Amino acid sequence: MVANLEATIEDLYRAPGKAEIVNGEIVLMSPTGAAPNYAAMEITFSLRNYCKRTKKGYPVADNAAFHVRLPNRKSFSPDAAYYVGKWTGMKFFEGAPTFAVEVRSEGDYGPAAERAMAAKRSDYFAAGTLIVWDVDLLSENVVKSYKANDADRPVIFRRGELANAEPAVPGWSMPVDDLFIELEN
């Protein structure tokens, strides 16, 4: 009899690129395009400025991993995040981010993608994340901010507005317009 071995955090350290452990398997995540990368970077930079100003928490950029202990999930790798736990040096962050951002890429549309994103949000909340942003650069409702205590009713932020992640990142906000690069022709 051959036992099914579940992927471990040690396996994740050796994964060839951005990945998460879901349902016992390493799930590789495809690279993102220019616009989603830019939006994630702007959120991270804004969080970095907040952390420098308040001397609280850590801004987390794309490709970092958070080690969690859920029955069906052992890690997250959000596009941007805010973390208030213990600094882990060269190791993955321990525990969930307080605030997680998922920026939609080209493959993040359609019924299957919506179900997968809702399941991931549920996992974030089960692990202790307070706020999850679903950033959709192709929608009028650019930022859907989901709260752990009211996960079915997101707060919507549109262009021209300031988006926040209350109460996960107290006093922080950023212009939704900053998620877009305006190119001159």
Side-chain angles (χ1 to χ4, degrees):
M1 181 170 144
V2 176
N4 286 339
L5 298 178
E6 287 197 7
T8 67
I9 289 298
E10 290 73 29
D11 296 327
L12 189 59
Y13 276 106
R14 294 187 298 274
K18 184 173 178 176
E20 297 177 339
I21 300 175
V22 183
N23 295 321
E25 296 182 9
I26 300 277
V27 177
L28 298 177
M29 303 169 89
S30 63
T32 190
N37 175 266
Y38 182 85
M41 181 181 65
E42 284 295 316
I43 295 165
T44 302
F45 286 170
S46 181
L47 288 168
R48 178 180 176 268
N49 291 339
Y50 169 85
C51 292
K52 283 182 158 261
R53 187 178 79 250
T54 63
K55 309 260 187 276
K56 295 178 183 171
Y58 304 101
V60 181
D62 189 19
N63 202 31
F66 292 84
H67 178 203
V68 297
R69 291 166 176 83
L70 296 176
N72 63 315
R73 179 182 285 276
K74 301 299 176 221
S75 70
F76 291 107
S77 187
D79 297 314
Y82 175 73
Y83 178 74
V84 295
K86 181 181 167 195
W87 183 249
T88 55
M90 300 298 280
K91 298 292 186 185
F92 296 147
F93 291 97
E94 279 296 327
T98 304
F99 167 49
V101 178
E102 297 290 338
V103 182
R104 290 178 184 241
S105 294
E106 282 186 314
D108 293 330
Y109 294 91
E114 293 299 329
R115 286 189 299 275
M117 293 175 83
K120 188 171 186 179
R121 275 194 307 275
S122 292
D123 287 349
Y124 272 122
F125 296 143
T129 300
L130 298 178
I131 300 288
V132 177
W133 275 11
D134 173 357
V135 178
D136 184 348
L137 301 172
L138 301 179
S139 173
E140 179 180 303
N141 300 327
V142 179
V143 176
K144 291 181 184 172
S145 180
Y146 292 87
K147 295 183 179 188
N149 64 358
D150 194 6
D152 295 327
R153 294 186 318 169
V155 176
I156 305 296
F157 298 103
R158 296 177 179 89
R159 289 190 78 147
E161 297 179 342
L162 286 176
N164 68 68
E166 294 287 345
V169 191
W172 172 79
S173 65
M174 69 172 291
V176 172
D177 289 347
D178 284 359
L179 302 176
F180 299 88
I181 191 165
E182 302 299 331
L183 301 175
E184 293 184 25
N185 294 328

